[in-house]
Amino acid sequence: KKAVGAFSAAESFNYKKFFEMVGLKKKSPEDVKKVFHILDKDRSGFIEEEELKFVLKGFTPDGRDLSDKETKALLAAGDKDGDGKIGADEFATLVAES
């Protein structure tokens, strides 16, 4: 909740700080995968841009939606192969780099 609140202002989202605040970086690879599956709402095996917009809501229901700019920045940071979405391995790498 504290981590989500820290980014409640528009255009303030920083995935590196957020992952650090929620303790994601210290989690096991299995736990990181669990978070990936929570964010992958349509169970496609990928987190698409539309799902990234709701990343804060994945941690608490009253989290705000990310702006288009924040969503695109997060997608650009995580999408290593340029396919327009973030796979489980890409998500694990994104967390590890934070």
Side-chain angles (χ1 to χ4, degrees):
K1 256 196 164 6
K2 185 181 171 195
V4 171
F7 303 104
S8 60
E11 305 300 338
S12 67
F13 185 71
N14 177 310
Y15 74 90
K16 290 182 178 185
K17 284 184 185 159
F18 180 74
F19 290 159
E20 189 180 322
M21 288 178 81
V22 295
L24 205 50
K25 195 172 170 148
K26 295 185 182 109
K27 299 279 185 205
S28 69
E30 292 78 28
D31 284 343
V32 171
K33 256 193 183 108
K34 284 179 193 165
V35 172
F36 174 84
H37 291 300
I38 290 168
L39 298 175
D40 178 21
K41 298 277 185 226
D42 65 1
R43 303 276 179 251
S44 67
F46 295 95
I47 304 172
E48 290 87 8
E49 188 171 340
E50 193 54 37
E51 292 167 324
L52 282 177
K53 185 178 217 142
F54 307 116
V55 71
L56 296 178
K57 283 190 168 78
F59 289 88
T60 181
D62 55 0
R64 72 174 175 88
D65 295 350
L66 295 186
S67 71
D68 288 345
K69 184 177 168 191
E70 290 170 315
T71 303
K72 287 185 188 319
L74 181 55
L75 181 63
D79 180 19
K80 303 295 184 198
D81 62 7
D83 64 358
K85 53 196 176 192
I86 298 174
D89 292 342
E90 289 173 318
F91 184 72
T93 301
L94 184 67
V95 170
E97 288 174 347
S98 62

